[in-house]
Amino acid sequence: MTKRALITGITGQDGSYLAEFLLTQGYEVIGMVRRSSTVNFERIEHIQAQVTLATADLLDEVSLINLLREYQPHEVYNLAAQSFVQTSFSQPVFTGEVTALGVTRILDAIRIVNPEMRFYQASSSEMFGKVVEVPQTEQTPFYPRSPYGVAKVYGHWITVNYRESYNMFACSGILFNHESPRRGLEFVTRKISHAVARIKLGLDQELRLGNLEARRDWGFAPDYVRAMWLMLQQNEPDDYVVATGETRSVREFVEFAFSHVGLNYQDYVVQDERYMRPAEVDLLVGDPTKARTELGWQPEVTFEGLVKIMVDADVAMLKERLR
Ligand code: NAP
Ligand code: GDD
């Protein structure tokens, strides 16, 4: 029997990699997209012929019910969200509507249409925020530091609640930062790799950044989508931390990215108050022991490998554009 998976957020970084991965596993893939005045399918252009795109929105419950009724997926991966922390400070209510209540809408739609569908929720290490222990595990209490983090805590607990209340196969992956050449340009890693490439090619002279001392546990997005799928193949639903176990500062990322193309970051980086946050998450580092032992998951790309992949991809992309 061919398995059918619905991915919300298929046009995003993770959605595009998950769609690719599920296609290689023989799945029929349905991608939920929202209406926009311009098409934004860049990340899935290369697989568009192999997936079915259907319109619905996490803000609109009826659209979700109709979508599930029509396609009857066996697995639902809820990756859609307002996912940028900085924007959550300027649009906290909107972030709550999509990133928090959106989870209840889709869980409820599943409960109404067919509670046998397996569900994956994209939880986040941002929920640990001002961390109360190091490293962070599935047992570490949450202390979110942004409207986005607060919304993700809601999404996490409503997923637990539907599992316990309605016996649904609902899992959360508590994923630490994961990056790739498909990362949005507003996130710090891609902002850096793109700027390094532009500076190297003589298209820019400086890179303006906020807090260089923040530390993150950075992995490679294609490694992380495998973990999502593994969670839904287990006998019992559960929650898992997905991380590398290594923490690096934004400064280290910048330094390594510039040095990879033979430049010194201190000649180009300018600190700019505009990119500072009202409340910061200073240190994240996950303990992926449970994912390793129970799912057999482990990351394949190192921090240095990730930086190189991203910088090389941006240099190649810009060179191609300049031809
Ligand atoms: P992303 O690139 O920002 O993609 C977000 C996706 O959500 C896009 O496809 C977007 O559609 C869609 N979306 C936003 N609002 C929607 C709505 N109201 N209805 C339907 N779709 C909507 O995010 P990502 O990096 O792939 O992350 C995927 C998920 O994992 C997110 O939930 C994120 O919060 C979570 N997460 C990410 C990380 C990470 O490091 N990347 C770590 C932990 C958790 P448009 O293209 O139309 O905007
Ligand atoms: N975006 C950005 N831009 N961040 C900067 C900048 C800048 O110019 N300068 C310094 N930073 C710092 C931020 O203050 C933060 O401490 C760190 O770089 C990482 O910021 P982002 O790349 O925007 O990611 P994030 O950690 O806030 O959130 C991402 O990871 C979460 C998982 O922990 C997002 O993908 C979230 O959706 C995800 O849940």
Side-chain angles (χ1 to χ4, degrees):
M1 180 196 64
T2 304
K3 273 200 187 171
R4 216 166 16 257
L6 171 71
I7 304 175
T8 75
I10 193 169
T11 54
Q13 171 188 259
D14 290 8
S16 66
Y17 285 119
L18 179 63
E20 274 174 16
F21 175 78
L22 293 176
L23 287 171
T24 66
Q25 298 297 311
Y27 277 70
E28 185 183 335
V29 175
I30 316 298
M32 184 180 112
V33 294
R34 53 180 177 163
R35 195 264 160 187
S36 66
S37 63
T38 46
V39 174
N40 63 344
F41 296 166
E42 299 87 17
R43 293 182 176 109
I44 50 169
E45 247 167 18
H46 60 296
I47 50 168
Q48 217 176 310
Q50 299 163 67
V51 301
T52 303
L53 298 181
T55 308
D57 198 303
L58 278 191
L59 297 175
D60 188 330
E61 173 92 40
V62 171
S63 73
L64 299 173
I65 293 172
N66 286 337
L67 184 69
L68 294 174
R69 279 212 177 114
E70 183 170 354
Y71 292 100
Q72 296 287 334
H74 303 97
E75 297 173 8
V76 176
Y77 295 86
N78 183 38
L79 309 187
Q82 188 305 93
S83 75
F84 190 38
V85 170
Q86 188 95 39
T87 294
S88 78
F89 285 104
S90 55
Q91 300 183 21
V93 175
F94 173 72
T95 300
E97 283 289 351
V98 180
T99 306
L101 282 178
V103 187
T104 309
R105 291 193 192 96
I106 189 137
L107 279 167
D108 230 22
I110 292 173
R111 188 178 66 82
I112 291 164
V113 176
N114 177 2
E116 295 300 310
M117 292 172 186
R118 294 190 169 201
F119 178 76
Y120 172 84
Q121 166 58 14
S123 284
S124 165
S125 50
E126 271 288 309
M127 302 188 303
F128 297 122
K130 191 171 160 70
V131 298
V132 301
E133 66 178 359
V134 179
Q136 295 85 52
T137 72
E138 292 79 6
Q139 262 65 56
T140 303
F142 301 139
Y143 190 154
R145 291 274 277 173
S146 63
Y148 168 82
V150 173
K152 281 290 178 185
V153 171
Y154 175 94
H156 185 85
W157 280 112
I158 201 70
T159 302
V160 173
N161 184 259
Y162 271 57
R163 179 165 77 214
E164 293 176 355
S165 304
Y166 307 114
N167 205 22
M168 284 168 54
F169 196 107
C171 303
S172 280
I174 308 175
L175 270 55
F176 283 61
N177 297 51
H178 46 279
E179 319 291 317
S180 75
R182 294 187 202 163
R183 187 59 139 154
L185 283 165
E186 66 276 35
F187 298 93
V188 79
T189 56
R190 182 75 199 292
K191 183 175 172 179
I192 295 167
S193 64
H194 192 247
V196 166
R198 285 184 63 81
I199 290 169
K200 180 68 184 170
L201 297 176
L203 301 170
D204 252 331
Q205 287 79 43
E206 67 172 24
L207 166 59
R208 303 188 84 84
L209 291 172
N211 179 12
L212 298 181
E213 309 316 326
R215 301 183 73 86
R216 291 289 183 277
D217 180 328
W218 275 302
F220 185 46
D223 282 343
Y224 286 49
V225 300
R226 263 190 294 120
M228 300 175 185
W229 174 76
L230 283 167
M231 285 176 218
L232 296 201
Q233 313 315 309
Q234 303 307 302
N235 290 331
E236 297 297 330
D238 207 344
D239 306 323
Y240 298 86
V241 160
V242 180
T244 68
E246 195 185 331
T247 186
R248 301 291 194 126
S249 65
V250 173
R251 188 181 296 281
E252 283 173 274
F253 196 106
V254 161
E255 189 173 6
F256 193 72
F258 274 94
S259 74
H260 179 55
V261 296
L263 300 175
N264 181 348
Y265 81 99
Q266 286 167 322
D267 297 333
Y268 304 97
V269 172
V270 179
Q271 273 202 286
D272 189 329
E273 281 295 317
R274 279 182 304 164
Y275 300 108
M276 300 287 191
R277 294 176 180 178
E280 179 60 289
V281 171
D282 296 317
L283 164 73
L284 291 176
V285 56
D287 176 353
T289 304
K290 183 175 170 186
R292 192 174 57 240
T293 53
E294 293 186 16
L295 302 178
W297 178 86
Q298 58 181 29
E300 281 167 12
V301 174
T302 61
F303 173 78
E304 289 81 3
L306 171 69
V307 182
K308 284 184 197 166
I309 288 171
M310 293 182 71
V311 172
D312 290 346
D314 275 323
V315 171
M317 186 263 288
L318 289 174
K319 276 190 178 161
E320 182 63 28
R321 269 198 208 156
L322 289 173
R323 275 187 350 147

